[in-house]
Amino acid sequence: PAGGAGGGSQLGMLLSISVTPASATLAVGATQSFVATGTFSNGMKDLTAAVDWTSSDAKVATVVGMGPKKGEATGVGAGKATITAKDAASGELGTAALTVLGIAQIAAGGTHSCAVKSDGTVLCWGLNQWGQLGDGTMVKRNTPTAVPSLTGVVELAMGSQHTCARKMDGTVLCWGYNEYGQLGDGTAVAKLSPTAVSGLAGVAEVALGNAHS
């Protein structure tokens, strides 16, 4: 007999569909591409029939087809959704797990901006001549860039060229310009990465001025 579900005789029978990546995480408003591939009885991988893409929760993410095998998901709201690719000819399904992270806070300083994500991590962007982005460099960033190793953040405050973060445990870390000791680490040296404020614990709120905290 010729072929099988989802393909002609030269393809063999479609046994399963896989979606790559199998799991992904993105922020609200960001996009993620997925690609569907098939496993056929003769070892082929390319799908020739159309693929229908769906999301299990449109309030978390939507997905649209971007070609015969590609789908593009967009984060709508914080949560989890299953992205499904369905072979139109055979009905065979493949799925991927998608987590959408919301933004808990956005703050702006004199020359830079930062956002706290719902998972407690931080992204910053803008000018960075004093390390105010906290990414360990002095390189300007035109798009949100993760602050490495910073987690558990519940609040951000921004100065002209420095940044402070209050963590869930009540401690505070600061980074950036420090000529006037505004980072609270006992020095007047700029810090390119988050640095603990000396002897500070149990903090309920943090606020920054132009050159003080």
Side-chain angles (χ1 to χ4, degrees):
S9 58
Q10 63 270 44
L11 286 178
M13 180 177 290
L14 177 59
L15 303 177
S16 64
I17 291 178
S18 59
V19 177
T20 304
S23 63
T25 301
L26 71 160
V28 171
T31 59
Q32 171 68 50
S33 295
F34 293 94
V35 177
T37 56
T39 298
F40 290 86
S41 57
N42 64 353
M44 296 291 289
K45 294 291 185 181
D46 286 336
L47 293 169
T48 57
V51 174
D52 297 323
W53 294 89
T54 57
S55 168
S56 63
D57 191 340
K59 293 181 179 179
V60 174
T62 58
V63 61
V64 295
M66 301 293 288
K69 297 179 291 184
K70 182 179 178 182
E72 185 172 270
T74 300
V76 176
K80 296 180 182 294
T82 299
I83 303 301
T84 300
K86 178 180 179 181
D87 179 69
S90 68
E92 194 72 39
L93 304 176
T95 62
L98 181 65
T99 300
V100 178
L101 301 176
I103 301 299
Q105 181 195 358
I106 293 179
T111 59
H112 64 301
S113 303
C114 293
V116 182
K117 294 167 66 176
S118 59
D119 64 353
T121 59
V122 175
L123 304 167
C124 293
W125 59 99
L127 290 181
N128 197 26
Q129 70 271 42
W130 298 105
Q132 58 262 52
L133 302 189
D135 66 349
T137 77
M138 297 175 67
V139 178
K140 178 182 73 173
R141 305 294 182 184
N142 295 327
T143 57
T145 302
V147 179
S149 303
L150 185 60
T151 60
V153 174
V154 294
E155 182 187 13
L156 281 177
M158 315 282 279
S160 176
Q161 296 175 340
H162 73 296
T163 309
C164 291
R166 177 172 64 89
K167 299 186 68 174
M168 188 178 302
D169 62 3
T171 59
V172 175
L173 297 93
C174 296
W175 59 95
Y177 192 57
N178 196 28
E179 182 178 359
Y180 305 104
Q182 54 263 56
L183 302 189
D185 67 341
T187 78
V189 179
K191 298 297 187 296
L192 307 185
S193 300
T195 302
V197 178
S198 302
L200 201 57
V203 175
E205 183 180 356
V206 61
L208 272 60
N210 181 56
H212 71 291
S213 306

